[in-house]
Amino acid sequence: MPTALITGASRGVGAAIARELSPTYDLLLGGRPSPQLDALATSIDGATTFPVELTDHDEVAAETETISELDVLVHSAGIGGISTVEETDAQVWRAMFEVNVIAVAELTRQLLPALRAAGGHVVIINSGSGLRAKAGWSAYSASKFAVRAFAEALREEEPLLRVTSIFPGRIDTDMQRDLVAMEGGDYDASKFLRPETVARAVRNAIETPADGDPQDVVLRPRPH
């Protein structure tokens, strides 16, 4: 079977994508070492863990050396946060860009030979904040605008690869619960996209016939 590497696979959207792709892909499940990551790998036939700290670029280089062909790379790992421009210091900006942009760019760079060998597909889970910035979301939105630019440049530079950016609205995840708490609101999961819905969109993009190029996919929760 073809091989897919999914970052942020231990929970949330990443875990949902892993389950969605598991019938047709051998999976490399990326994430920090954890019981959750191990349990997911155990539950899926043909899955192994890729327990790499994505911000440790030497570790990323060492672990990717053994991957000679890669059909799909899904970037699902990321961090978020809410604060005003006045409250957001340089440390927050650095952390946001290190995880949401630089880690994506460096992992992709290290895996380009393997992706080229397979004529592969890079999928980046972006955000609605990568299309429109709102008050309180400056650092997060800027990082998502930046990774959107990275995806567009990669698509131009690597015409034999397919590059898809997924722009979901807010998703029912643990991170979303934290964000709603920061906003001071009550959490209502029905207002948000299900992780499985985003995972299905990823699978649909990957399964688009070879003559099509699914570049940008925008998902929004439907109003009740």
Side-chain angles (χ1 to χ4, degrees):
M1 285 202 293
T3 301
L5 192 162
I6 304 162
T7 70
S10 59
R11 59 180 183 163
V13 173
I17 293 169
R19 295 187 185 98
E20 188 70 33
L21 298 185
S22 63
T24 49
Y25 284 85
D26 289 327
L27 300 179
L28 296 170
L29 304 177
R32 294 187 179 95
S34 69
Q36 293 92 337
L37 189 67
D38 291 339
L40 182 63
T42 300
S43 71
I44 297 175
D45 291 338
T48 57
T49 61
F50 185 77
V52 175
E53 173 53 67
L54 294 174
T55 58
D56 184 335
H57 305 307
D58 290 336
E59 183 181 2
V60 168
E63 292 299 321
T64 54
E65 262 188 342
T66 60
I67 302 175
S68 58
E69 285 195 23
L70 184 65
D71 299 275
V72 174
L73 171 59
V74 181
H75 292 286
S76 185
I79 60 173
I82 301 173
S83 59
T84 65
V85 171
E86 182 180 13
E87 297 167 334
T88 308
D89 62 22
Q91 184 176 353
V92 173
W93 281 91
R94 288 191 190 98
M96 201 75 71
F97 271 72
E98 184 68 41
V99 175
N100 292 352
V101 185
I102 298 171
V104 170
E106 182 61 11
L107 181 60
T108 304
R109 187 181 75 86
Q110 293 289 350
L111 287 170
L112 274 178
L115 288 161
R116 289 168 181 154
H121 195 152
V122 179
V123 179
I124 298 173
I125 306 301
N126 198 297
S127 168
S129 293
L131 298 172
R132 178 173 174 266
K134 297 187 293 185
W137 295 77
S138 58
Y140 178 73
S141 191
S143 73
K144 292 300 185 177
F145 269 71
V147 82
R148 172 184 165 195
F150 168 76
E152 292 177 1
L154 179 65
R155 188 179 297 122
E156 292 291 322
E157 293 177 12
E158 300 288 337
L160 298 183
L161 305 182
R162 292 202 292 186
V163 180
T164 300
S165 291
I166 309 286
F167 296 93
R170 300 178 73 164
I171 309 167
D172 177 24
T173 61
D174 291 341
M175 186 172 80
Q176 195 66 243
R177 290 180 179 274
D178 293 340
L179 293 173
V180 171
M182 290 178 194
E183 293 172 323
D186 295 324
Y187 195 83
D188 181 355
S190 68
K191 294 181 178 179
F192 307 122
L193 290 166
R194 296 167 57 244
E196 293 78 11
T197 301
V198 180
R200 178 65 64 87
V202 170
R203 192 186 82 183
N204 289 344
I206 292 169
E207 292 182 350
T208 299
D211 62 311
D213 189 9
Q215 297 186 355
D216 297 319
V217 178
V218 179
L219 291 174
R220 292 286 179 271
R222 293 187 66 188
H224 295 282

